[in-house]
Every structure is written in structure tokens, then in C-alpha cells.
Amino acid sequence: MIYLRFLRAIILVIATILILYTAYLAVSGLYRVAQSPSSVREAVASVAANEISDAEQPEAVSPEAGKGPVADSEQQKFYSNFVERYFRLFHTKFEPFRQPEDKVLSRDEFDDSFVQSAARLNAATAGSVTFSSDRADLESLLAAMTAAAVEPRTIQRLRRYKAAKKVAVQRQIRKTRIEYRRGWNSLSTSCDGWFYSPIGCAERRAVEVPYSETTKAMEFPKGTQSHSQIFHAMQDKFFTLLENRRSSNAATAEARRIEIAESNVRGSIDLSLALRIFGGFIALMFFFLLIAIERHQRRIAATIPIAALPERAGS
């Protein structure tokens, strides 16, 4: 009896653990299987104004706009309108801080230097660039540059440039010049008696001689950049940050999709394991039922003789 009670207690504990673990595997497996990699959406990359207001332009580069097929009139209208709005921002917020000797850019010169709308239009027409994506990037650029133009840091840099004075700067420049020197050439046969020792002839030959030259130039103090350099640097930094974050968001989304796909596989495995454990639970309950029946029969067998005694005594 003690053994059966102990066995029954152990079976109940194991059965409880199995049913709880089965429930856990079933719930977690269903959750993992229910997830879909296609539900992951790549985060939209954006750049704030205060992230580009400190950008510095090392060198202004203006690639030539390529030629391409005739573009859609709606696309052409957008790029033309964008250049107008972007040029207005530059003209009202940055150009007032230029130095007198700085070149005043026309609309077309501004377009070639900062927007390159013709190249963008050709790329959108050829399909190498998605027009909707490029339009969204340019609108985001305009919004960020408009906000960055009124940042205290940007205004401070523009005012510093406008008030800056050029100073004389001396630099040591290393150069080379050609000098003709007389020397011995053991391979030369251009003189009489070249075959006598020492073999060869004396001759003049060209030699590159390094030297340093001091140059003087009037330049702005180091760290001072023009209004157009500041504008260009801010734009370049915007696109650099945007591209980096876009790549990072794409990598994060792809990693999440892979994680969900792996989770789906693990969920299927958990559900299969849950079914097996539940089958073991049923088998264990059947075994427990057999023990309960045996125990019940023992009780019946123990009570029957006691109940039969009065009947025999009366007879």
C-alpha cells in the first residue's frame, strides 16, 4: 500500500510537469509559427537638422550631369520646382553671409553644384533610380536643411565666415628640379680609350634634385569655411547619414526576418514535441488509472469478508 501511494504521488507529479510543459510548448510553438517574416518592415531612415549643422566641406565637387532620354513631364516639373525651392533656401539663408569676392551663383549654377537635377531626371527615366524614393529623399533633404539653416551653430559659423579676414600664410612646398651634373658612367663607350681602366667615360647626366620653396598666400583662418562650403558639407553629411541608416535599417530588418524564420522552425519542433509529451502524459494517466483500479479492488476485497460475517452467523 505504501509503495502504491508513493508510486501514485510520483506519477501525479510527473504528469503535472508534463502537462504544464506541454502547455508551454504548445503556446510558444503556436506564437512562433504564427509570426511571418513578411510582416517585418524596414524602418524609415531620417536625418535631423542638428546632425548636419556642423558639417564641413573639404572640397566642392560638381560632377557633370549626364544625358538621357526624355523624362516624364511630372518628374521634370518636380525637379524644376525642387531646384527653385532649394535655391531660395540657399539664397535667403546662406548667401547673405558671403564675402564680397565670393561668386554669386545663378539658379543653373546652383543646380549643377548642389542638385544635379538633369542627372537625377535621367536616372529616374532610365529606371536606375526610383523616382518616388528620390523625391522623398529630396523633400527630406529640404526639410532638414531648412531646419538646420536656423540652428544657432549654423548661424554662428556663417557669421564667423562673414566677419573673417584673410591673413598671410606661409607654407613650405617640396619640389624637384633637373640639374645636369658630371659623373662617371662605366657603361659608356662614347670617349677615346674607354676600354682602359677604369672602363667607361665621364659624361653629364640629368639629376632630379629636391628643394623647398616658401610660398605666401592670403587665406582665411583655419576652420573657417565659406557659406557655400558649409551648405555643401551639410548636404553631403545628410546623404551620408541617410545612406548609412538606410543600410543599417535594411540589415536590422533582414536579421529580424531570419530570426522569425528560425523561430518558425523552432515553433514547429516545439509543437511536435508537445504532441509527443502529451502522448506520454496520456500513457502515464492510463498507467495511473490501472494503479487506481488495483487499489480500488484491494479495498473492495478487504471489505467483503467483514460484510459477509453477520450473514453466516445468522445462518
Side-chain angles (χ1 to χ4, degrees), residues 147-277:
V150 296
E151 284 273 321
R153 182 165 44 185
T154 304
I155 296 175
Q156 181 182 7
R157 295 177 65 195
L158 291 170
R159 287 175 177 172
R160 183 169 68 245
Y161 172 70
K162 185 174 179 61
K165 303 296 181 183
K166 288 186 176 181
V167 295
V169 178
Q170 291 187 351
R171 286 192 175 88
Q172 292 287 329
I173 300 177
R174 295 183 62 83
K175 296 182 177 181
T176 59
R177 59 172 174 260
I178 302 297
E179 293 185 358
Y180 289 91
R181 296 179 179 178
R182 194 167 185 80
W184 189 264
N185 185 355
S186 60
L187 301 178
S188 176
T189 60
S190 61
C191 61
D192 294 335
W194 61 270
F195 46 83
Y196 293 114
S197 182
I199 297 174
C201 301
E203 60 180 23
R204 294 177 72 248
R205 62 177 182 270
V207 179
E208 282 193 357
V209 179
Y211 71 99
S212 298
E213 182 178 288
T214 302
T215 61
K216 293 182 179 180
M218 298 297 293
E219 298 178 0
F220 288 110
K222 188 176 181 180
T224 302
Q225 293 195 330
S226 69
H227 66 297
S228 60
Q229 288 177 317
I230 293 174
F231 187 87
H232 212 311
M234 290 166 60
Q235 174 178 295
D236 288 348
K237 188 172 183 180
F238 171 87
F239 283 116
T240 299
L241 291 174
L242 185 66
E243 187 61 30
N244 290 342
R245 288 172 185 175
R246 185 167 288 158
S247 300
S248 176
N249 291 343
T252 301
E254 182 62 23
R256 179 57 183 158
R257 293 187 189 102
I258 294 175
E259 181 183 347
I260 290 177
E262 292 175 348
S263 181
N264 291 157
V265 175
R266 291 197 302 269
S268 299
I269 295 173
D270 288 347
L271 288 175
S272 177
L273 181 59
L275 289 176
R276 291 193 183 99
I277 294 175

Side-chain angles (χ1 to χ4, degrees), residues 41-149:
R41 295 291 180 268
E42 184 178 325
V44 178
S46 62
V47 179
N50 59 0
E51 295 179 291
I52 62 176
S53 58
D54 62 342
E56 295 187 0
Q57 177 67 14
E59 182 180 357
V61 180
S62 179
E64 294 184 1
K67 296 182 179 180
V70 178
D72 181 82
S73 58
E74 181 183 351
Q75 297 177 2
Q76 192 170 6
K77 181 179 179 181
F78 166 76
Y79 285 116
S80 177
N81 177 263
F82 176 80
V83 172
E84 291 288 348
R85 291 183 290 152
Y86 202 37
F87 179 63
R88 191 182 308 120
L89 171 66
F90 176 78
H91 182 71
T92 56
K93 299 296 184 181
F94 289 82
E95 203 167 59
F97 297 94
R98 70 180 182 86
Q99 291 276 0
E101 65 269 22
D102 290 337
K103 181 180 179 180
V104 179
L105 296 178
S106 65
R107 178 197 175 280
D108 292 337
E109 290 171 334
F110 174 83
D111 184 10
D112 292 339
S113 298
F114 297 101
V115 183
Q116 303 166 37
S117 61
R120 290 179 178 273
L121 188 60
N122 289 335
T125 303
S128 57
V129 171
T130 305
F131 172 70
S132 59
S133 176
D134 193 42
R135 177 173 59 186
D137 288 349
L138 290 178
E139 292 291 357
S140 180
L141 169 67
L142 180 60
M145 293 290 285
T146 302

